[in-house]
Amino acid sequence: MASPEPIDGILDIAPYVGGDSKADGVARAVKLSSNESAIGPSPRAVDAYRALAGELHRYPDGGFNALRETIAEIHGLAPERLICGNGSDEIISYLTHAYAGPGDEVLFSAHGFLMYPLSAMAAGARPVKAPETDYRASVDALLDAVTDATRIVFLANPNNPTGTYLPADEVARLRAGLPGRVLLVLDGAYAEYVSRNDYSAGIELVDAGDNVVMTRTFSKIYGLAALRLGWAYCPRAIADVYHRVRPPFNVNAAAQVAGVAAMRDVAHTDAARTHNDIWQPWLTAEMSRLGLFVIPSVGNFITVRFGADGPRAAAEALAFLKRRGVLARGIAPYGLADCVRFTIGLEDENRAVVDAVTAFLSGADV
Ligand SMILES: Cc1ncc(COP(=O)(O)O)c(C=O)c1O
């Protein structure tokens, strides 16, 4: 008997595999595999989450109005141009479905975030990669790869897993070189960590025309990954399209109240940034001291090159670290099989990483 078949391309999708969260035989692993916040969420966000417990029988606000108004106030944006999603992954996914389909191309840089090809393929569109230069997106290569079939260009800025970023003038050059019919999505999942004068998450580019969207998340600096909450600033017409395709209650009530409290706790966000400003350069320097190449990162993570084969290869390092209870991220699916990505953790976690990598490089047995 015939059975239902998904559309072309769906069975070619390799399902997304999240970072490891358990190591056999280790009671409490050092989990540095998913770029979560080292210091966790604001206590005010946790209180807001707890306070919702008596309201679990109520549907959430389908328009996420208080959340949109808070984001609008803090960032100085028009609330009607803000959209929210069940993680920024959901926004990426629905925008891709709405703007690309079979016969279309979705473009991103060679080591770009994995959700871009996954969303493209789920929509039946063709994912296209543009080469990078020194692990950084290349505006020239992206523009060269644009064809009549290109519908969306995704740029994670900073990018995961490389941690590199493009300065604002380069992103503006990318936008200026794209036809107006191409949607440019600037994914600022790590924007809050970046303190470089030449960096911008892209709000001014969204304002400058009709084809740029900036996505953000509460999963990283706000420490609310479990609640799944993302937002985006869009042209009005794109916000309108999003509201047509998203499910009516896609952002749960706990995420909405915790998101409001987290964004209002500016001191906590500052503390998370300060922590990263201390420990990210420290971990980078320690890895360099051990003779390893570290891709220059502006995020809350670093990607370190071990090698593709032999006893010091990235896969060996990952397995060794895991046996010691240190969970890092293998990034072979990003075309970086020779590298390992480490999220910046608390001081003892960062020190545990350096101890474990030192032991690995010295050929110690676990
Ligand atoms: C570049 C980038 N964009 C988007 C996301 C998705 O974040 P969210 O938890 O909001 O779905 C991630 C998560 O790792 C990311 O690294």
Side-chain angles (χ1 to χ4, degrees):
M1 207 172 84
S3 50
E5 293 216 359
I7 61 166
D8 276 357
I10 298 294
L11 295 179
D12 298 330
I13 298 174
Y16 185 90
V17 179
D20 273 342
S21 55
K22 286 197 183 82
D24 287 346
V26 178
R28 195 177 168 278
V30 173
K31 183 177 185 298
L32 301 173
S33 53
S34 301
N35 295 348
E36 295 147 348
S37 166
I39 70 166
S42 154
R44 294 189 204 167
V46 177
D47 287 348
Y49 170 82
R50 287 213 177 95
L52 193 85
E55 297 293 319
L56 295 186
H57 54 305
R58 303 280 178 215
Y59 276 98
D61 171 4
F64 23 81
N65 288 297
L67 178 60
R68 277 193 302 140
E69 271 150 31
T70 301
I71 300 169
E73 184 190 318
I74 303 252
H75 288 269
L77 304 171
E80 62 278 10
R81 295 178 59 182
L82 294 170
I83 58 175
C84 298
N86 189 263
S88 50
D89 278 349
E90 188 185 50
I91 298 176
I92 291 167
S93 171
Y94 280 121
L95 288 180
T96 308
H97 272 89
Y99 287 91
D104 295 335
E105 293 177 357
V106 172
L107 177 62
F108 47 92
S109 70
H111 306 304
F113 182 48
L114 217 50
M115 268 303 287
Y116 313 149
L118 295 185
S119 301
M121 290 169 83
R126 197 164 83 83
V128 178
K129 287 182 188 174
E132 297 187 359
T133 309
D134 296 334
Y135 300 104
R136 206 170 78 133
S138 156
V139 169
D140 291 323
L142 284 165
L143 291 176
D144 280 351
V146 173
T147 70
D148 289 347
T150 308
R151 291 285 168 275
I152 307 177
V153 176
F154 282 105
L155 178 72
N157 200 29
N159 183 51
N160 169 24
T162 53
T164 55
Y165 79 105
L166 287 185
D169 56 353
E170 277 293 277
V171 183
R173 191 165 74 82
L174 172 62
R175 191 220 157 218
L178 290 175
R181 60 173 175 76
V182 174
L183 172 62
L184 173 61
V185 179
L186 301 175
D187 176 344
Y190 303 92
E192 296 83 0
Y193 287 105
V194 189
S195 38
R196 298 289 175 103
N197 290 337
D198 61 353
Y199 173 77
S200 163
I203 286 174
E204 71 290 350
L205 289 182
V206 180
D207 285 335
D210 297 325
N211 67 330
V212 182
V213 168
M214 173 196 68
T215 62
R216 304 284 283 265
T217 184
F218 282 84
S219 302
K220 307 301 176 185
I221 207 161
Y222 296 108
L224 294 176
L227 292 181
R228 312 302 302 122
L229 181 59
W231 61 279
Y233 180 51
C234 315
R236 270 168 226 274
I238 293 177
D240 172 63
V241 165
Y242 180 75
H243 292 306
R244 290 168 196 263
V245 297
R246 73 175 172 93
F249 302 106
N250 60 325
V251 180
N252 71 75
Q256 294 190 36
V257 294
V260 167
M263 199 171 258
R264 290 209 177 280
D265 194 347
V266 176
H268 186 82
T269 310
D270 287 345
R273 188 181 302 106
T274 301
H275 177 88
N276 198 59
D277 286 346
I278 295 166
W279 290 102
Q280 198 257 46
W282 181 86
L283 194 59
T284 301
E286 289 294 306
M287 293 291 181
S288 305
R289 192 177 55 78
L290 291 172
L292 297 166
F293 172 73
V294 183
I295 301 175
S297 168
V298 293
N300 67 330
F301 57 93
I302 59 171
T303 286
V304 179
R305 202 163 60 200
F306 284 80
D309 341 273
R312 289 184 167 201
E316 301 296 328
L318 278 163
F320 180 96
L321 296 178
K322 190 168 179 176
R323 288 195 296 274
R324 284 180 69 120
V326 173
L327 304 174
R329 183 61 167 261
I331 44 178
Y334 289 89
L336 294 168
D338 55 343
C339 293
V340 175
R341 192 193 69 194
F342 297 92
T343 306
I344 306 306
L346 293 170
E347 173 170 355
D348 59 330
E349 296 174 322
N350 300 328
R351 292 191 188 279
V353 167
V354 173
D355 289 350
V357 172
T358 305
F360 172 68
L361 294 176
S362 70
D365 291 330
V366 177

